[in-house]
């Protein structure tokens, strides 16, 4: 759980990492600028044990009294208050990837769900989460477009050089 306020000494916003939910590792999957908000992440990738090939997490589903058993690896919630983010992240973790995501969308929660897929992790962001951090996602598109433009100019320049120089490729 974390709460940020204001900016760093150089005026840039504080950036907070959301971990890749891989056991035994501490890699950042995504980073976000929270502004004057809080974020909490709940997951079953650190506190768990395996017995006879089955994973048991520390999160107990109060409906069954047993550890949760689904593919949701972690969920991060952004809220104004840290205690709200923490409680909601745990609740979404209990509900699981489908019911938790549906609840978060219905209640307009800013949530990022990271689900275990067959070939790796799949992100499911709620519209409220995407709206908060859409400008950060747009940065990747700007970099892609700029890179594409540079390569396009280089290819056109090489083609003109070949054509005007009467050389074969």
């Amino acid at each position: 759980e974390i709460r940020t306020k204001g900016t760093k000494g150089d005026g840039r916003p504080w950036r907070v990492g959301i971990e890749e939910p891989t056991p035994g590792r501490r890699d950042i999957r995504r980073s976000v600028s929270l502004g004057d908000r809080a974020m909490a992440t709940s997951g079953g990738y650190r506190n768990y044990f395996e017995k006879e090939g089955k994973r048991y997490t520390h999160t107990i589903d109060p409906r069954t009294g047993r550890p949760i058993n689904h593919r949701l690896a972690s969920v991060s919630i952004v809220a104004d208050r840290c205690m709200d983010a923490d409680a909601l992240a745990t609740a979404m973790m209990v509900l699981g990837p489908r019911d938790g995501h549906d609840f978060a969308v219905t209640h307009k929660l800013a949530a990022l769900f990271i689900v275990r897929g067959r070939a790796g992790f799949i992100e499911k962001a709620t519209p409220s989460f995407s709206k908060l951090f859409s400008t950060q996602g747009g940065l990747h598109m700007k970099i892609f477009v700029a890179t594409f433009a540079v390569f396009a100019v280089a290819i056109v320049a090489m083609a003109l050089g070949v054509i005007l120089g009467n050389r074969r490729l």
Side-chain angles (χ1 to χ4, degrees), residues 79-101:
D80 290 333
R81 298 182 333 157
C82 204
M83 66 186 230
D84 295 337
D86 186 29
L88 288 165
T90 301
M92 297 307 101
M93 194 68 201
V94 168
L95 289 174
R98 186 177 53 241
D99 293 342
H101 188 266

Side-chain angles (χ1 to χ4, degrees), residues 27-155:
D27 298 329
I28 301 297
R29 181 172 183 92
R30 177 192 281 238
S31 67
V32 295
S33 295
L34 292 177
D36 294 337
R37 291 183 293 266
M39 183 173 70
T41 299
S42 184
Y45 56 98
R46 280 215 197 113
N47 297 319
Y48 71 95
F49 70 92
E50 291 184 12
K51 184 175 181 183
E52 298 175 3
K54 187 169 178 174
R55 176 184 286 219
Y56 296 89
T57 72
H58 72 290
T59 304
I60 305 298
D61 185 335
R63 299 170 294 188
T64 64
R66 304 195 45 80
I68 58 172
N69 185 22
H70 48 63
R71 296 180 310 127
L72 183 56
S74 74
V75 60
S76 298
I77 300 281
V78 177
D80 290 333
R81 298 182 333 157
C82 204
M83 66 186 230
D84 295 337
D86 186 29
L88 288 165
T90 301
M92 297 307 101
M93 194 68 201
V94 168
L95 289 174
R98 186 177 53 241
D99 293 342
H101 188 266
D102 291 347
F103 181 93
V105 169
T106 299
H107 292 87
K108 296 181 174 46
L109 302 179
L112 178 66
F113 292 75
I114 302 177
V115 182
R116 286 182 196 86
R118 291 186 180 143
F121 294 110
I122 301 163
E123 286 188 9
K124 288 176 62 178
T126 62
S128 296
F129 187 92
S130 296
K131 184 178 170 184
L132 276 176
F133 303 111
S134 64
T135 56
Q136 293 173 358
L139 178 61
H140 297 295
M141 182 54 87
K142 290 176 187 174
I143 292 170
F144 172 77
V145 169
T147 303
F148 179 79
V150 168
F151 278 110
V153 168
I155 290 171

Side-chain angles (χ1 to χ4, degrees), residues 148-166:
F148 179 79
V150 168
F151 278 110
V153 168
I155 290 171
V156 168
M158 287 189 302
L160 286 174
V162 169
I163 292 169
L164 297 175
N166 274 339

